[in-house]
């Protein structure tokens, strides 16, 4: 069944890979500011899910948006730089830098001053890259035309629709999400740079819902369930009235916590919350805050709201009716704050880093989990007899949550360290801290460590022993990461492999001994795979070696290309195929090196002049495979005929390996 599903997904995706993307349209207008000065406006309309990158990105990152204003007669001059809107700014872990991107729409403006004669039209060119969660398009350029008003008018506009062949790169992010790593990069590991989506909100809801159930199992909340339900059933004249009042009580709990999430969103703003996720001070403050929460759960002290507030709210609960029930719910929230406060605070911090309405969604999930048992037990009071009795196990739940809070706190500290590039909390140090935290948790669960408020432990229950074994196994799993193990199960939490004291792994072989001799025209690629960047030389070597060719249409700034290389190509069985069974030709569509004059040409497919090596490979992909997104993989024979359907971004290692084997098998027929 599983193989059938994978096969179906491959067939479905194969039909999607061979398509052209045109995700951006450009509009231009000009506004007269004074007799000689004009404001040129450039509006980018970006399809949903795609990202356009800003103008001011450091070298080594994704290709930035750049405008060239053509002035052959020197009859105008630029005033200042081209400005752009605020957009989204994230700290991208792949490129290790701040990256700005736009989604939906982006407005760029440029002031000019006419210094001689008059201008009726003005030409410019924009170079840009875009990407979505799964595709990165190579750099593209588009001609822009501005109609300059002859007299003072507000706006004279002509639309210049951009025909985009290509455009590429992250998120992330950010995740890339995250833009593509701009998300993911919903990633990272520094911050989730993927674009906010319903999928991200569902994740927040589910995590918050489970956190609400965890809060139920704390000493401040759990004993309140039978007490509150008994109150409603005894004070109500009929069973139906008791159920109704308990349902109103549960609904009031939901309103209170959702209101809290709404206040957080309103105070900080939906967009600014997302920007905070890569702010150094934001991460440092919440590192301290989570450490305080953890210490509270571990028993160092209790976080309490003022007693005067609790007493005032409790007195209002005696009023009866709907208002009285609402204040009873508010009293529960205040009284249980010492247990729920740290959990709610952590959820709000995590939701705030996602931005948008995530804090509201998070509080909705949390409050539903809290309110659900009150409503269910009111409807079926006989179930109360099945509840376990309060006892020391409730404090154990608090302590476990405290250890988890402590581990999460160092994620925020790691974010700040990555943004500042201090290299104080590199991968090995981060993992050592997590090993210590989860190791201590395992010892606690086994009864070797006791903390304040713990009851005497005469024996260990099966549940506690099982959880202890899981935590111990996880701790042991982390240890090889100190020597360079990838630890894919926690990908996104520790710093990336390159942000490490020993990026190649402690005790690894020297590069000279690890690498095989290079054929003429080849280079070492990811994981020391012998790679050709020239199509003709790679094909010539493949003929001599008698192997099929794996064409890898990629980009230096392609985030999903790097993900495939790091997560899929690193797998031993995939790596074995790439090293031994195929000849890898990686064609970088964003290579800016200019072609010799006699090799430049006008594309028959797009009508654009092919000036660079990257243009050449991009044109090859478009012309041959009717696709312009990266990564894009094709297995071909020595006559460039396809041996199997092309493949794109596919993080499923087994499916990718089977795809490789299918092409190799067809080559041998």
């Amino acid at each position: 069944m599983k193989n059938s599903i994978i096969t179906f997904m491959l067939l479905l995706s194969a039909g999607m890979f061979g398509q052209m993307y045109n995700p951006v349209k450009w509009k231009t207008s000009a506004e007269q500011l004074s007799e000689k000065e004009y404001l040129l406006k450039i509006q980018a309309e970006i399809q949903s899910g795609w990202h356009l990158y800003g103008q001011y990105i450091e070298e080594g990152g994704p290709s930035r948006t750049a405008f060239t204003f053509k002035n052959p007669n020197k009859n105008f001059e630029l005033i200042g730089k081209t400005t752009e809107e605020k957009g989204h700014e994230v700290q991208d872990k792949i490129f290790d830098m701040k990256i700005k991107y736009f989604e939906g729409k982006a407005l760029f403006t440029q002031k000019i001053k006419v210094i001689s004669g008059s201008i009726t039209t003005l030409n410019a060119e924009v170079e840009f890259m875009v990407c979505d969660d799964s595709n990165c398009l190579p750099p593209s350029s588009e001609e822009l035309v501005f109609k300059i008003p002859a007299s003072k008018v507000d706006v004279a506009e002509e639309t210049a629709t951009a025909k985009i062949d290509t455009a590429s790169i992250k998120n992330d992010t950010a995740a890339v999400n995250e833009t593509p790593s701009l998300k993911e990069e919903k990633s990272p590991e520094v911050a989730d740079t993927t674009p906010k989506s319903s999928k991200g909100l569902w994740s927040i809801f589910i995590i918050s819902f489970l956190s609400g159930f965890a809060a139920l199992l704390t000493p401040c909340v759990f004993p309140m369930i039978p007490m509150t339900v008994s109150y409603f059933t005894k004070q109500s004249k009929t069973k139906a009235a008791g159920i109704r009042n308990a349902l109103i009580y549960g609904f009031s709990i939901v309103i209170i916590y959702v209101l809290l999430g709404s206040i957080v969103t309103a105070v900080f703003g939906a967009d600014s919350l997302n920007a905070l996720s890569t702010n150094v001070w934001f991460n440092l403050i919440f590192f301290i805050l989570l450490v305080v929460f953890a210490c509270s759960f571990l028993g160092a002290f209790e976080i309490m709201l003022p007693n005067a507030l609790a007493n005032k709210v409790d007195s209002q609960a005696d009023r009866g009716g709907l208002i009285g029930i609402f204040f009873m719910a508010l009293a529960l929230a205040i009284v249980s704050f010492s247990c729920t406060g740290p959990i709610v605070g952590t959820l709000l911090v995590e939701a705030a880093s996602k931005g948008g309405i995530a804090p509201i969604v998070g509080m909705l999930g949390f409050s539903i989990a809290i309110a659900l048992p009150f409503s269910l037990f009111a409807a079926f009071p006989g179930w109360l007899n099945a509840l376990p009795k309060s006892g020391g196990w409730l404090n154990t739940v608090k302590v476990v949550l405290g250890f988890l809070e402590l581990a999460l706190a160092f994620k925020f500290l790691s974010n700040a360290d990555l943004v500042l590039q201090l290299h104080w909390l590199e991968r090995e140090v981060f993992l050592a801290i997590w090993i210590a935290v989860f190791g201590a948790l395992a010892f606690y669960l086994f009864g070797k460590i006791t903390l304040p408020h713990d009851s005497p432990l005469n024996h260990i229950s099966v549940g506690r022993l099982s959880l202890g074994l899981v935590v111990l196994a996880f701790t042991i799993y982390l240890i090889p990461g100190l020597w360079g193990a990838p630890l894919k199960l926690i990908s996104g939490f520790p710093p990336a492999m390159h942000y490490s004291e020993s990026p190649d792994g402690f005790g690894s072989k020297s590069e000279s001994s690890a690498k095989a001799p290079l054929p003429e025209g080849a280079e070492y690629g990811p994981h020391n795979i012998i790679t050709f960047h020239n199509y003709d030389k790679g094909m010539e070597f493949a003929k001599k070696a008698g192997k099929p060719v794996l064409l890898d249409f990629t980009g230096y700034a392609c985030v999903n290309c790097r993900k495939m290389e790091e997560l899929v190509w690193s797998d031993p069985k995939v790596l074995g195929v790439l090293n031994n069974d195929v000849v890898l030709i990686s064609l970088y569509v964003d290579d800016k090196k200019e072609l010799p004059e006699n090799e430049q040409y006008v594309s028959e497919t797009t009508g654009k002049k092919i000036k660079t090596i990257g243009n050449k490979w991009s044109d090859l992909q478009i012309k041959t495979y009717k696709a312009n997104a990266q990564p894009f993989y094709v297995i071909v024979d020595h006559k460039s005929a396809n041996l199997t359907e092309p493949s794109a971004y596919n993080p499923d290692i087994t499916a990718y390996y089977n795809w490789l084997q299918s092409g190799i098998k067809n080559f041998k027929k």
Side-chain angles (χ1 to χ4, degrees), residues 127-398:
E127 294 184 7
F128 59 97
M129 299 176 73
V130 293
C131 73
D132 67 1
D133 287 344
S134 59
N135 294 297
C136 292
L137 308 182
S140 182
S141 62
E142 189 64 36
E143 293 291 330
L144 303 174
V145 178
F146 300 86
K147 281 193 174 181
I148 308 300
S151 60
K152 261 195 174 182
V153 294
D154 291 334
V155 177
E157 184 179 79
E158 178 177 66
T159 302
T161 303
K163 296 178 182 179
I164 299 178
D165 314 318
T166 55
S168 173
I169 227 51
K170 210 168 173 190
N171 234 287
D172 142 230
T173 201
V176 179
N177 239 248
E178 285 158 106
T179 301
S181 77
L182 286 162
K183 225 61 204 315
E184 303 44 311
E185 270 260 323
K186 323 272 313 281
S187 209
E189 285 56 59
V190 175
D192 187 356
T193 67
T194 57
K196 297 174 287 293
S197 63
S198 59
K199 182 179 179 181
L201 293 178
W202 271 113
S203 299
I204 287 290
F205 179 86
I206 292 171
I207 292 172
S208 301
F209 187 79
L210 295 176
S211 299
F213 274 121
L216 280 171
L217 302 177
T218 58
C220 312
V221 181
F222 187 81
M224 299 291 291
I225 297 175
M227 293 171 55
T228 305
V229 172
S230 297
Y231 170 82
F232 282 122
T233 54
K234 291 178 181 178
Q235 295 297 320
S236 303
K237 295 180 179 180
T238 64
K239 181 180 179 181
I243 294 174
R244 184 190 66 240
N245 291 337
L247 290 174
I248 295 172
Y249 180 73
F251 186 67
S252 299
I253 293 173
V254 174
I255 291 176
I256 290 167
Y257 283 103
V258 170
L259 184 62
L260 176 61
S262 302
I263 292 172
V264 170
T265 303
V267 170
F268 291 99
D271 293 331
S272 61
L273 284 170
N274 187 54
L276 283 174
S277 62
T278 55
N279 181 278
V280 173
W281 290 109
F282 173 90
N283 283 285
L284 288 176
I285 289 171
F286 281 106
F287 163 71
I288 296 171
L289 187 61
L290 292 184
V291 169
V292 171
F293 288 161
C295 291
S296 172
F297 270 156
L298 294 175
F301 50 81
E302 285 193 0
I303 301 174
M304 301 286 292
L305 290 176
N307 288 329
L309 176 62
N311 293 333
K312 187 173 182 179
V313 170
D314 189 55
S315 65
Q316 295 295 321
D318 296 331
R319 296 176 59 177
L322 295 178
I323 295 177
I325 294 174
F326 177 82
F327 275 99
M328 282 187 65
L330 184 58
L332 170 69
I334 293 173
V335 170
S336 64
F337 184 79
S338 61
C339 291
T340 60
I343 300 175
V344 170
T346 305
L347 287 174
L348 286 174
V349 169
E350 186 63 24
S353 68
K354 305 297 181 186
I357 62 170
I360 300 175
V361 173
M363 289 301 94
L364 178 63
F366 180 85
S367 59
I368 288 176
I370 291 286
L372 196 59
F374 291 96
S375 301
L376 288 176
F377 284 115
F380 306 99
W383 290 3
L384 289 173
N385 297 326
L387 282 179
K389 295 181 179 179
S390 301
W393 67 273
L394 292 174
N395 188 68
T396 301
V397 173
K398 276 186 65 176

Side-chain angles (χ1 to χ4, degrees), residues 51-67:
H51 300 271
L52 174 71
Y53 290 91
Q55 301 176 89
Y56 307 109
I57 296 176
E58 298 176 17
E59 292 295 330
S63 294
R64 52 192 171 217
T65 300
F67 297 94

Side-chain angles (χ1 to χ4, degrees), residues 329-555:
L330 184 58
L332 170 69
I334 293 173
V335 170
S336 64
F337 184 79
S338 61
C339 291
T340 60
I343 300 175
V344 170
T346 305
L347 287 174
L348 286 174
V349 169
E350 186 63 24
S353 68
K354 305 297 181 186
I357 62 170
I360 300 175
V361 173
M363 289 301 94
L364 178 63
F366 180 85
S367 59
I368 288 176
I370 291 286
L372 196 59
F374 291 96
S375 301
L376 288 176
F377 284 115
F380 306 99
W383 290 3
L384 289 173
N385 297 326
L387 282 179
K389 295 181 179 179
S390 301
W393 67 273
L394 292 174
N395 188 68
T396 301
V397 173
K398 276 186 65 176
V399 172
V400 171
L401 292 174
F403 278 107
L404 295 178
E405 294 260 6
L406 190 60
L408 182 60
F410 283 95
K411 173 60 183 167
F412 287 93
L413 184 62
S414 173
N415 289 347
D417 181 65
L418 285 165
V419 171
L420 296 175
Q421 286 293 287
L422 297 176
H423 287 269
W424 289 351
L425 198 62
E426 292 181 319
R427 185 178 176 88
E428 292 89 348
V429 178
F430 183 95
L431 291 175
I433 292 171
W434 267 36
I435 290 169
V437 170
F438 286 101
L441 174 56
F443 278 112
Y444 171 79
L445 291 171
F446 291 142
K448 302 301 181 183
I449 297 175
T450 57
L451 294 171
H453 310 303
D454 277 337
S455 302
L457 187 64
N458 298 321
H459 66 278
I460 299 176
S461 66
V462 174
R464 183 165 178 162
L465 175 63
S466 300
L467 181 59
L469 290 173
V470 171
V471 174
L472 179 61
F474 178 71
T475 306
I476 295 172
Y477 168 78
L478 295 177
I479 294 174
L482 298 173
W483 289 273
L487 304 182
K488 295 181 181 180
L489 284 180
I490 59 168
S491 176
F493 281 93
M497 291 288 290
H498 69 270
Y499 198 78
S500 168
E501 294 179 6
S502 50
D504 295 324
F506 178 78
S508 60
K509 296 180 180 179
S510 65
E511 290 192 5
S512 59
S513 62
K515 296 178 179 178
L518 279 173
E520 183 181 356
E523 298 179 10
Y524 291 114
H527 313 293
N528 293 333
I529 302 169
I530 295 177
T531 309
F532 291 86
H533 298 310
N534 182 286
Y535 183 87
D536 295 329
K537 290 184 178 179
M539 291 298 293
E540 183 181 348
F541 178 77
K543 291 175 184 177
K544 294 178 180 178
K547 297 178 181 179
V549 172
L550 173 61
L551 292 180
D552 166 32
F553 289 95
T554 183

